[in-house]
Amino acid sequence: MSDKIKVLVVPSDKFGVGLYRSVSPHTQLDKLYGDEFDVEINYQPNWTDLQSFNKYDIVHVHKGLFENINLFWNALDYFKKNNIVSIIDIDDNWEVGPSHPLYHQNKSMHVAEKIIESLKRADYITTTTEIFANKIKKYNKNVFVFPNSVDPDESQYSSEKNPSDRIRFGFVMGSSHEKDMEQFKGVVNALPKDILDKIQIVLCGYDLRGTMTMMNPDGTIKGQRPIKPEESVWFSYEKNVTDNYSICSPEYKEFLLKFLKGVQWPMADKEAYRREWTKDVKDFATHYRNIDVLFAPLECNSFNEVKSELKFIEGGFTRTAVIATHFGPYTIGSKSIFKKGGEIDPEGNCILVEPEKKHKAWGQAIKKIVEHPEYIKIMTDNMYETVKDKYNIKNVTKTRAEWYKSIIKK
């Protein structure tokens, strides 16, 4: 009979946060510590067949939200009675503000209340940062932090950059950052022409897939239809970062408004703006090959406060400098290259923008980098040193293995 610790992993999805918070970490656990752990991944376990879980020592679930939530809660109670350790991993705040695309839907479905109840019933909670852990402890004291991490051996995290005559400032984000992007409004049209001639704004992840959800006045879902290009949040992003296409040549603007999926403008290298279409999740970090400096704007709200420092991590491993809002996750491990008074800190690993300054400070940061491109190397070298050990998936997996063994002993 095997004495391995048997772990069942239940991701919330196959290609998003479930991949990064459930699948990848436990794939590494099986790879590096297969002599001690037996890992099984099941996206849709049968919560009604409770005895089928008796063969597991640990059940790790991402998020803890299911269509039939009562069945899941019954399973959590069963696990507790039968000495099966239950762990819920959560990486996003269950409370989304009115500006979030899922606000009305989540409110009508009582998502926050369901997740909180799941957190209360689980034995342990894992999350991304100490900031979020402190919030979760209101409902469950057994909270442990496993930061988001990457495998530097994956080719997508290479520090290789595609050549360019311009300094490229870019965005790598998803479709739920419209309010965050408002921090950037007015930046481009405040930049003088001599600066615009030396830079390129790169918007990565452009994606026109999806549907438009139609809501009833009471917040319930009325129906869905395919989204139109002009309704996409990416269209809104693009108008923002190009000052309504004013920094694009007339021919390029005409091309962009045709929304030819996956097609790149032949002369894009000569333009002050570049659109990069979305990539497969296993290749998304290759976007950084077209970016020298990453923008990471955040609106100051309770949802964003508990997000992770993932952009620092990705920037560090891909040798991409970062300009970020000085708030929430970007207070973790950060040290601005600019001291008060403007003096350069040789140990600085990023540029931090105070939230109240918004577009004025973003524009000033762009100008300083254009005038002193050597700052990019200082920041990228220092950020790499910040992340290379702490956020290496092998090191995080070692900590996970040791923790799993300790909670089983209890």
Side-chain angles (χ1 to χ4, degrees):
M1 183 176 178
S2 173
D3 58 355
K4 291 183 181 181
I5 297 173
K6 297 176 177 60
V7 183
L8 173 65
V9 181
V10 185
S12 59
D13 59 65
K14 293 184 178 181
F15 305 109
V17 286
L19 174 66
Y20 295 108
R21 296 298 299 175
S22 296
V23 179
S24 293
H26 289 91
T27 300
Q28 282 289 326
L29 183 69
D30 189 55
K31 176 182 176 181
L32 300 177
Y33 300 95
D35 57 333
E36 297 178 272
F37 293 90
D38 185 3
V39 176
E40 179 182 331
I41 297 174
N42 188 341
Y43 293 91
Q44 295 181 317
N46 184 358
W47 300 117
T48 62
D49 185 9
L50 296 178
Q51 290 190 350
S52 67
F53 294 92
N54 290 343
K55 60 184 177 180
Y56 303 111
D57 300 297
I58 296 174
V59 177
H60 176 284
V61 179
H62 182 254
K63 201 170 184 177
L65 183 67
F66 296 91
E67 186 173 351
N68 193 330
I69 196 66
N70 286 301
L71 288 179
F72 177 60
W73 290 340
N74 289 339
L76 289 177
D77 294 342
Y78 178 85
F79 298 160
K80 198 174 292 287
K81 292 176 183 176
N82 290 273
N83 297 318
I84 302 168
V85 177
S86 60
I87 302 171
I88 290 179
D89 181 84
I90 186 164
D91 61 323
D92 266 337
N93 197 342
W94 49 85
E95 295 172 341
V96 298
S99 62
H100 195 281
L102 295 176
Y103 174 73
H104 294 291
Q105 181 178 329
N106 283 12
K107 188 175 181 181
S108 67
M109 296 174 66
H110 304 286
V111 167
E113 294 88 341
K114 292 175 181 177
I115 290 178
I116 288 172
E117 183 61 27
S118 294
L119 298 179
K120 289 178 178 178
R121 294 188 187 224
D123 292 323
Y124 298 95
I125 311 299
T126 56
T127 191
T128 51
T129 70
E130 291 292 346
I131 298 173
F132 200 5
N134 289 332
K135 179 181 177 68
I136 296 167
K137 285 176 183 177
K138 179 180 178 181
Y139 306 103
N140 191 321
K141 299 295 184 184
N142 297 322
V143 187
F144 293 81
V145 174
F146 288 95
N148 283 323
S149 57
V150 303
D151 184 352
D153 293 335
E154 287 187 34
S155 60
Q156 66 170 324
Y157 293 108
S158 165
S159 59
E160 175 188 355
K161 300 292 182 183
N162 294 326
S164 175
D165 294 332
R166 295 172 179 253
I167 299 176
R168 295 159 297 181
F169 296 80
F171 298 88
V172 181
M173 57 176 57
S175 60
S176 60
H177 293 273
E178 193 161 16
K179 294 298 291 185
D180 300 330
M181 289 290 281
E182 288 182 6
Q183 305 291 308
F184 198 77
K185 275 188 175 177
V187 172
V188 172
N189 61 12
L191 294 174
K193 186 177 185 304
D194 65 315
I195 295 293
L196 284 171
D197 287 343
K198 297 175 182 177
I199 70 170
Q200 184 175 70
I201 306 294
V202 186
L203 180 61
C204 298
Y206 206 97
D207 193 350
L208 298 179
R209 294 173 297 178
T211 57
M212 176 69 72
T213 300
M214 297 173 287
M215 307 297 295
N216 291 312
D218 62 358
T220 58
I221 298 175
K222 183 179 180 180
Q224 292 183 325
R225 61 170 175 77
I227 197 168
K228 300 175 183 177
E230 295 82 1
E231 295 171 331
S232 168
V233 69
W234 292 98
F235 181 59
S236 174
Y237 289 173
E238 191 167 77
K239 288 194 296 181
N240 178 354
V241 304
T242 62
D243 186 27
N244 202 22
Y245 299 99
S246 67
I247 65 171
C248 303
S249 66
E251 298 83 5
Y252 188 34
K253 176 183 176 181
E254 182 182 358
F255 170 83
L256 291 171
L257 294 179
K258 291 178 181 178
F259 304 106
L260 302 176
K261 183 178 178 181
V263 181
Q264 184 58 269
W265 175 247
M267 300 296 289
D269 289 345
K270 306 296 182 183
E271 296 281 346
Y273 168 71
R274 183 185 186 100
R275 177 199 286 173
E276 286 290 332
W277 289 87
T278 187
K279 295 178 181 289
D280 181 84
V281 67
K282 294 182 179 180
D283 297 314
F284 90 96
T286 59
H287 278 307
Y288 288 103
R289 296 177 187 178
N290 291 314
I291 298 175
D292 303 300
V293 183
L294 176 69
F295 290 128
L298 272 188
E299 182 189 36
C300 296
N301 57 48
S302 59
F303 182 80
N304 283 340
E305 184 179 20
V306 300
K307 293 183 76 66
S308 84
E309 65 276 42
L310 183 59
K311 295 307 168 189
F312 281 169
I313 302 168
E314 293 172 354
F317 280 107
T318 61
R319 301 287 183 141
T320 307
V322 182
I323 306 176
T325 304
H326 193 198
F327 173 74
Y330 301 133
T331 63
I332 301 171
S334 61
K335 192 172 188 180
S336 183
I337 193 173
F338 299 128
K339 296 180 180 180
K340 288 184 178 179
E343 185 182 354
I344 298 301
D345 187 341
E347 296 181 352
N349 59 11
C350 63
I351 294 175
L352 297 173
V353 173
E354 298 304 322
E356 64 273 11
K357 294 185 179 179
K358 293 188 178 180
H359 71 273
K360 182 178 180 182
W362 292 95
Q364 289 173 343
I366 292 171
K367 291 178 184 177
K368 287 179 180 179
I369 288 178
V370 171
E371 293 166 357
H372 298 279
E374 67 272 16
Y375 293 167
I376 295 176
K377 188 174 189 318
I378 295 173
M379 289 188 285
T380 56
D381 286 350
N382 290 336
M383 186 61 81
Y384 177 73
E385 290 300 319
T386 300
V387 306
K388 69 181 179 64
D389 296 322
K390 181 178 179 180
Y391 301 101
N392 186 313
I393 196 169
K394 294 179 178 64
N395 296 332
V396 175
T397 302
K398 180 181 179 182
T399 303
R400 185 185 299 275
E402 292 170 351
W403 182 63
Y404 279 3
K405 286 186 285 187
S406 73
I407 61 178
I408 288 298
K409 286 181 181 178
K410 289 182 182 180

